[in-house]
Amino acid sequence: MFVVMVVGAGEAEILGVKGQILAEGLTPFEHAGSERTVIAVVGEIGARKPVLIDRLSALPGVESVTPISRPFKLTSREFHPEDTVIRVLDAVIGDGSLTMMAGPCSVESRDQLFETADAVAAAGATVLRGGAFKPRTSPYAFQGLGVQGLRFLAEARDRTGLPVITEVMEPNQVDIVAEYADILQIGTRNMQNYSLLRDVGRVARPVMLKRGYGATVEEWLMAAEYIVSSGNPNVILCERGIRTFETYTRNTLDLAAVPLVHHLTHLPVVVDPSHATGKRWLVKPLAIGGVAVGADGVMVEVHPRPDEALSDAEQQLDLDQFRELMAAIVPVHEHVRSLHGDPLVSGAALGIGGGGLAKH
Ligand code: PEP
Ligand code: MN
């Protein structure tokens, strides 16, 4: 549930409500909205609900107490109607601008990373990606350069000015990855690694949470809830394809998830057509498709010589192909942006699909 304070509620009234929530053994999360403050009550409420609603409603400065219908609370639009906007160095994610995350699947060497970083930065990328700790299906495949890869990423950030994003696979890597990287990535295989989610919830870095390839949208948002409820509100969602019966593509990019999560949550969402399709020639149309349905950005893998890549050789774009993608996607994004508010393209149009969504 969340407590809606009256317009102009004072510090003492807000503290009074938070104190009562703490006294009940629950946790308050304050959200200062544009008009009024709202305080979410998080924890096991159970049968106490009616009594709690009465107690909180009676406190000074409280306008109303409203249950949150979804199992995810802090990430829900009900609690936090405005879009979350994340700023990291010069990049702004979720403000209607186009976030383009680009770079190699794996950091393989300083030269390979710098060559890619310079080219994607010149072409208009806003975030540099590159894997240092690699989750590989085979234990015999290239596992990444580890900490050396993180150092190269930090050098590439200093060189290009682009914030860098890289995956953290284990709780004991969180501190070192946060030391070098600007955005931490949780990969599809770790979406439900709850101790890792809690740990990245405690660092002062935005986190990009990839959807588990076998996860429902609700499981994905519950995973995001772990991060936010651990203290980190800066979560970016990434739809990277789910496993279906189709085998021509590596996974199936769930484009419906983009407007759906915009409807359900306030967090920005990007699509990753590289891991979704596994095929280089499908990356551009699916990237454009993601932007057309309202994604806040795209993550694509780019390598100077994809055929020589140590991982995901089939799906990485070469530098020219990335420039072509940029030339094609920017006007599509401009057009979609000009339609903002049109329920056909704006996932945040909270009216759409209400009937179906209410079935909870
Ligand atoms: C990646 O982006 O490097 C990656 C491994 O992706 P995913 O977790 O989506 O497979
Ligand atoms: Mn990859």
Side-chain angles (χ1 to χ4, degrees), residues 105 134 275 301 312 315:
C105 176
K134 294 301 301 175
H275 292 92
E301 290 188 336
D312 287 347
Q315 71 196 33

Side-chain angles (χ1 to χ4, degrees), residues 68-79:
I68 303 179
S69 61
R70 317 260 183 222
F72 40 94
K73 311 291 178 194
L74 304 176
T75 55
S76 75
R77 278 240 185 239
E78 285 170 277
F79 168 56

Side-chain angles (χ1 to χ4, degrees), residues 104-106 129-136 166-167 185-190 208 210-213 238-241 250-251 272 274-276 299 301 311-312 315:
C105 176
S106 301
R129 69 147 282 146
F133 295 103
K134 294 301 301 175
R136 303 306 303 280
T166 196
E167 177 160 355
Q185 175 171 320
I186 302 291
T188 192
R189 296 160 186 81
N190 266 321
M208 187 171 86
K210 290 192 139 191
R211 179 179 181 181
Y213 53 70
C238 177
E239 163 57 45
R240 50 78 69 207
R250 181 174 174 177
N251 292 279
D272 171 354
S274 303
H275 292 92
M299 167 175 267
E301 290 188 336
S311 57
D312 287 347
Q315 71 196 33

Side-chain angles (χ1 to χ4, degrees), residues 1-7 9 13-14 17-18 21 29 31 35-41 49-50 52-68 78-79:
M1 67 181 71
F2 57 97
V3 180
V4 181
M5 303 301 292
V6 296
V7 175
E13 291 163 328
I14 292 171
V17 171
K18 286 172 144 182
I21 295 168
F29 278 88
H31 169 57
E35 259 191 12
R36 58 181 89 228
T37 294
V38 180
I39 303 166
V41 184
K49 202 169 184 174
L52 195 59
I53 291 179
D54 283 351
R55 262 187 216 147
L56 292 169
S57 305
L59 294 175
V62 172
E63 184 173 286
S64 59
V65 180
T66 315
I68 303 179
E78 285 170 277
F79 168 56

Side-chain angles (χ1 to χ4, degrees), residues 83-327:
D83 289 338
T84 284
V85 176
I86 297 172
R87 286 164 214 280
V88 48
L89 301 186
D90 289 339
V92 187
I93 304 163
D95 67 337
S97 62
L98 176 63
T99 295
M100 289 298 294
M101 303 182 176
C105 176
S106 301
V107 177
E108 298 170 4
S109 68
R110 183 190 262 122
D111 286 351
Q112 171 250 15
L113 182 64
F114 284 9
E115 189 179 351
T116 316
D118 291 352
V120 298
T126 57
V127 175
L128 176 66
R129 69 147 282 146
F133 295 103
K134 294 301 301 175
R136 303 306 303 280
T137 303
S138 165
Y140 309 121
F142 176 61
Q143 305 284 309
L145 296 183
V147 177
Q148 184 59 258
L150 296 177
R151 292 200 190 101
F152 293 155
L153 282 165
E155 285 181 43
R157 182 231 351 264
D158 296 344
R159 187 181 164 93
T160 59
L162 297 183
V164 298
I165 179 168
T166 196
E167 177 160 355
V168 51
M169 286 170 54
E170 295 169 21
N172 64 20
Q173 294 168 351
V174 171
D175 288 344
I176 186 93
V177 174
E179 190 181 321
Y180 288 100
D182 304 292
I183 307 173
L184 309 189
Q185 175 171 320
I186 302 291
T188 192
R189 296 160 186 81
N190 266 321
M191 190 206 83
Q192 286 179 311
N193 182 338
Y194 298 120
S195 47
L196 182 60
L197 298 178
R198 282 209 172 92
D199 283 354
V200 297
R202 295 189 193 106
V203 295
R205 292 267 180 274
V207 174
M208 187 171 86
L209 177 67
K210 290 192 139 191
R211 179 179 181 181
Y213 53 70
T216 64
V217 166
E218 192 158 292
E219 287 162 342
W220 185 21
L221 298 180
M222 293 308 284
E225 190 79 12
Y226 265 89
I227 303 173
V228 178
S229 65
S230 300
N232 189 344
N234 294 317
V235 176
I236 304 153
L237 298 167
C238 177
E239 163 57 45
R240 50 78 69 207
I242 49 176
R243 192 169 272 185
T244 67
F245 49 80
E246 183 51 67
T247 52
Y248 272 108
T249 47
R250 181 174 174 177
N251 292 279
T252 297
L253 186 65
D254 182 7
L255 281 181
V258 173
L260 182 62
V261 300
H262 272 155
H263 177 101
L264 294 170
T265 92
H266 47 87
L267 300 173
V269 57
V270 307
V271 296
D272 171 354
S274 303
H275 292 92
T277 64
K279 287 186 163 63
R280 184 171 306 131
W281 61 276
L282 283 173
V283 169
K284 181 168 146 190
L286 272 292
I288 289 173
V291 165
V293 294
D296 297 282
V298 177
M299 167 175 267
V300 288
E301 290 188 336
V302 182
H303 192 289
R305 287 160 295 280
D307 293 339
E308 294 170 21
L310 298 181
S311 57
D312 287 347
E314 301 284 302
Q315 71 196 33
Q316 304 206 53
L317 301 184
D318 67 24
L319 305 180
D320 279 338
Q321 287 163 336
F322 181 68
R323 288 187 273 266
E324 281 162 29
L325 168 63
M326 287 302 296

